[in-house]
């Protein structure tokens, strides 16, 4: 069985500060890892994903995440956040096949001026 | 143009009523899902259909009945609504067959159900 732990339920930061949202997973098989973002009153959008290859993956809006197999982590980082980054961020894991994505409980990123 | 569309977006109803939520995807995917997001934002899988066949049925009360008339549609019917059914219900789709499955899901905008 898979599981995802997002240790922080809420992360408040000031605009232009760096941020890291933590994600740890457990799985007995090879995994695919995802970060989804949910803006207020909207659905979930894929932010970035690790499938294979380079362990560092980037999104188009400046976020990046690094797959660390030995630490079973997939932390999300951004060097300088904007007010518009305020949203709920979900880490998720899949082993492919017919199994579904298993989501963490989410981390609310609150960016203030 | 919307890849995964759900209707209605908002639903307010009384306890005991029956309601349906519809979902359609135009991505050509073979698998569709229903997720429930509770008030604490926790996302939990409810059902999954692959090519109209039910493949995942989590511990969900049998008041909830999914129906997939074809692989592009997955509807959710809820009988005898209870207060605890209030949540946001998300439809999603993915491509599982033909060796292309990575688990990536494409979500609809959600349907917010409020039971009074």
């Amino acid at each position: 069985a898979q599981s995802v732990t997002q240790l922080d339920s809420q992360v408040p930061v000031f605009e232009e500060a760096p941020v890291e949202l933590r994600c740890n997973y457990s799985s007995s098989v090879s995994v695919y890892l995802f970060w989804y973002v949910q803006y207020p009153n909207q659905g979930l959008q894929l932010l970035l994903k690790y499938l294979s290859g380079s362990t560092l993956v980037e999104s188009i809006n400046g976020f990046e995440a690094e797959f660390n197999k030995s630490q079973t982590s997939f932390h999300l980082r951004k060097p300088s956040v904007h007010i518009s980054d305020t949203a709920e961020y979900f880490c998720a894991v899949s082993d492919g096949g017919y199994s579904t994505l298993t989501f963490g409980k989410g981390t609310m990123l609150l960016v203030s001026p | 143009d919307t890849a995964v569309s759900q209707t209605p977006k908002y639903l307010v109803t009384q306890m005991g009523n029956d309601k349906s939520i519809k979902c359609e995807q135009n991505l050509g995917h073979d698998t569709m899902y229903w997720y429930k997001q509770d008030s604490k934002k926790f996302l939990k899988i409810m059902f999954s259909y692959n090519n109209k066949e039910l493949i995942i049925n989590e511990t969900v009360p049998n008041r909830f009945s999914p129906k997939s008339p074809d692989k592009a549609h997955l509807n959710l019917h809820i009988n005898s609504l209870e207060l605890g059914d209030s949540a946001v219900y998300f439809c999603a789709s993915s491509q599982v067959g033909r060796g292309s499955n990575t688990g990536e899901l494409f979500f609809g905008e959600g349907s917010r159900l409020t039971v009074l």
Side-chain angles (χ1 to χ4, degrees):
Chain A
Q2 303 162 111
S3 66
V4 177
T5 303
Q6 291 182 248
L7 291 167
D8 305 304
S9 59
Q10 206 172 85
V11 173
V13 293
F14 289 109
E15 196 174 17
E16 297 183 9
V19 71
E20 177 179 84
L21 306 184
R22 295 178 293 170
C23 172
N24 288 89
Y25 68 92
S26 69
S27 176
S28 57
V29 297
S30 298
V31 295
Y32 303 112
L33 292 157
F34 305 83
W35 276 99
Y36 280 82
V37 59
Q38 184 178 26
Y39 297 103
N41 298 313
Q42 292 188 27
L44 280 81
Q45 303 170 33
L46 181 68
L47 187 61
L48 45 75
K49 60 188 176 186
Y50 169 77
L51 305 180
S52 64
S54 172
T55 57
L56 184 66
V57 290
E58 298 176 353
S59 73
I60 58 172
N61 57 353
F63 283 94
E64 65 178 32
E66 184 154 23
F67 169 54
N68 187 320
K69 189 174 181 179
S70 62
Q71 296 186 5
T72 59
S73 67
F74 191 55
H75 302 328
L76 182 69
R77 301 183 184 95
K78 189 170 185 179
S80 175
V81 294
H82 302 289
I83 298 280
S84 59
D85 292 324
T86 294
E88 192 86 27
Y89 291 80
F90 293 92
C91 182
V93 63
S94 165
D95 64 5
Y98 289 107
S99 67
T100 60
L101 278 185
T102 299
F103 285 89
K105 293 191 174 182
T107 298
M108 182 66 195
L109 176 62
L110 291 163
V111 183
S112 52
Chain B
D1 281 328
T2 305
V4 182
S5 58
Q6 305 178 219
T7 54
K9 193 167 183 179
Y10 299 97
L11 197 50
V12 181
T13 189
Q14 300 286 333
M15 267 198 318
N17 284 349
D18 304 338
K19 289 294 176 187
S20 292
I21 308 171
K22 296 186 176 184
C23 179
E24 176 181 4
Q25 56 96 3
N26 63 8
L27 296 167
H29 289 162
D30 60 3
T31 306
M32 295 184 72
Y33 311 79
W34 279 110
Y35 276 82
K36 178 180 180 180
Q37 186 176 47
D38 62 22
S39 58
K40 295 183 179 175
K41 303 280 188 177
F42 184 58
L43 282 154
K44 186 172 165 52
I45 181 69
M46 299 174 69
F47 302 104
S48 173
Y49 271 75
N50 174 261
N51 283 318
K52 304 193 298 175
E53 182 184 340
L54 180 66
I55 55 171
I56 291 175
N57 183 352
E58 292 295 309
T59 309
V60 176
N62 58 16
R63 297 182 295 104
F64 290 78
S65 52
K67 278 195 172 53
S68 181
D70 57 61
K71 72 176 189 176
H73 295 83
L74 180 61
N75 304 322
L76 183 65
H77 187 76
I78 316 170
N79 290 325
S80 304
L81 279 156
E82 300 177 357
L83 293 176
D85 297 332
S86 295
V88 181
Y89 292 85
F90 284 101
C91 178
S93 73
S94 71
Q95 180 60 33
V96 172
R98 288 183 262 128
S100 54
N101 181 41
T102 61
E104 179 178 350
L105 297 182
F106 294 78
F107 283 86
E109 292 279 300
S111 297
R112 182 176 294 275
L113 172 65
T114 303
V115 182
L116 303 174

